[in-house]
Amino acid sequence: MSNSVSLTQYLQLSGLTELTTPAFAAAVAQQQQALRQYLEQVSAPTVNWQYQVPELGEGGACSLFGVLAAEPYDLTAILGGQTAANQQALARLSQITAFYQQQAGVAWFGIYQARPNPAGEAVLVKLSYFGAPSRAEFPLTPEFATISNNSSVGLSGKARVINSVASYLQQGGEYYTCDPKVQAEACLPLYAQSGRILGIVDAEDFQAEVFDQRALALLVAVCLTIPDYLPAV
């Protein structure tokens, strides 16, 4: 039994109601089927418990692009150990990430789960990704949400699709710049069947206007699949 919401519920909860069309539903269903087949037929890649992250700037507000921290980020502590269940969850998420990378062809993608870190702070933690090194944890606080799409979507549950970062900034939008080459971003929420926010996915590309309906159908299909494989909190 799936732990996720239906497509209709997803579009309503996320605020993407303009996508509620038969054509979009058919495109999502096609991508969901392709992803299910991929998970059944393709072996999971090696699980990475550690990954490199940029140094954080003053006060931890932003990352220093191109400057990597001396120590990699280790998922072991925030997940409660390298258990068999956590290993299996990360393996599945790595498969989903690999599928999305093959299908989407964008520059960057990450899967984040909402959970407390070892200090007891509510954060979005990056469990699987491809692309350049980036921040591991985003604080789930109203203050950080004012400058971060990830935190904003993680708190509100409302999707944020920016097909031109330059236009968004010109209109006064706040933007957390991890890689200055990024021109488009789609940040979408993950929901449990109850509608509770479980986390987010974030996709970025170096070209503007890439997140059209076809691209969003793939991304929504991924968002409807991920909740079944997230580690237990």
Side-chain angles (χ1 to χ4, degrees):
M1 181 177 177
S2 175
N3 185 43
S4 185
V5 294
S6 69
L7 173 60
T8 300
Q9 291 172 304
Y10 186 89
L11 297 179
Q12 290 174 343
L13 289 168
S14 65
L16 295 172
T17 51
E18 73 277 5
L19 298 175
T20 308
T21 66
F24 188 79
V28 171
Q30 185 177 24
Q31 293 290 1
Q32 285 181 287
Q33 182 179 12
L35 178 51
R36 282 193 296 268
Q37 291 176 343
Y38 185 92
L39 292 174
E40 292 171 359
Q41 298 171 3
V42 179
S43 299
T46 302
V47 170
N48 294 318
W49 285 90
Q50 295 183 334
Y51 51 79
Q52 290 185 304
V53 291
E55 284 279 7
L56 292 182
E58 186 176 351
C62 61
S63 302
L64 301 179
F65 180 71
V67 182
L68 296 179
E71 294 294 327
Y73 183 85
D74 194 322
L75 288 164
T76 305
I78 197 167
L79 295 184
Q82 295 189 19
T83 65
N86 285 337
Q87 178 81 18
Q88 184 178 32
L90 291 181
R92 283 300 197 187
L93 296 178
S94 295
Q95 279 182 291
I96 294 171
T97 299
F99 172 83
Y100 183 77
Q101 184 173 21
Q102 291 178 14
Q103 298 297 317
V106 297
W108 199 94
F109 172 76
I111 299 172
Y112 297 78
Q113 185 180 24
R115 59 188 303 140
N117 65 15
E121 301 160 332
V123 299
L124 290 168
V125 58
K126 188 174 64 180
L127 299 180
S128 180
Y129 79 104
F130 66 79
S134 63
R135 188 183 186 115
E137 295 181 8
F138 284 83
L140 278 173
T141 64
E143 295 77 22
F144 205 82
T146 62
I147 62 167
S148 165
N149 287 327
N150 287 8
S151 296
S152 177
V153 175
L155 283 176
S156 70
K158 300 301 181 185
R160 188 168 287 184
V161 179
I162 301 172
N163 263 311
S164 172
V165 170
S167 297
Y168 181 74
L169 290 172
Q170 287 174 359
Q171 294 165 10
E174 291 285 349
Y175 194 78
Y176 182 97
T177 300
C178 185
D179 187 335
K181 295 191 297 294
V182 171
Q183 297 299 314
E185 178 180 17
C187 190
L188 272 60
L190 303 170
Y191 301 108
Q193 199 169 43
S194 65
R196 179 170 58 88
I197 304 167
L198 298 176
I200 67 160
V201 300
D202 188 34
E204 300 174 350
D205 198 53
F206 300 152
Q207 295 185 16
E209 308 299 336
V210 295
F211 294 109
D212 55 16
Q213 287 206 13
R214 182 178 177 182
L216 290 175
L218 171 61
L219 201 53
V220 169
V222 166
C223 289
L224 293 174
T225 304
I226 289 171
D228 290 335
Y229 302 107
L230 289 173
V233 178

